[in-house]
Amino acid sequence: MVALDCANATEDYLQDKALVVSGATIADDRIADASVPLKAIIAA
């Protein structure tokens, strides 16, 4: 993950920011699925 865009989603912004800073690698299909909370992706 190298960038993020979160309109009206403060919680998602904070989670995404942590992912960008950590240099996390997440499969495209997982991060693109808006029905899955970012907390669940991070915890997995």
Side-chain angles (χ1 to χ4, degrees):
M1 181 178 254
V2 295
L4 59 108
D5 184 9
C6 300
N8 298 319
T10 305
E11 186 174 328
D12 284 350
Y13 172 78
L14 295 174
Q15 296 297 323
D16 281 345
K17 182 179 175 184
L19 291 172
V20 171
V21 169
S22 72
T25 301
I26 301 171
D28 292 342
D29 60 330
R30 293 203 66 208
I31 201 75
D33 186 351
S35 69
V36 178
L38 291 173
K39 283 185 178 183
I41 294 171
I42 294 168

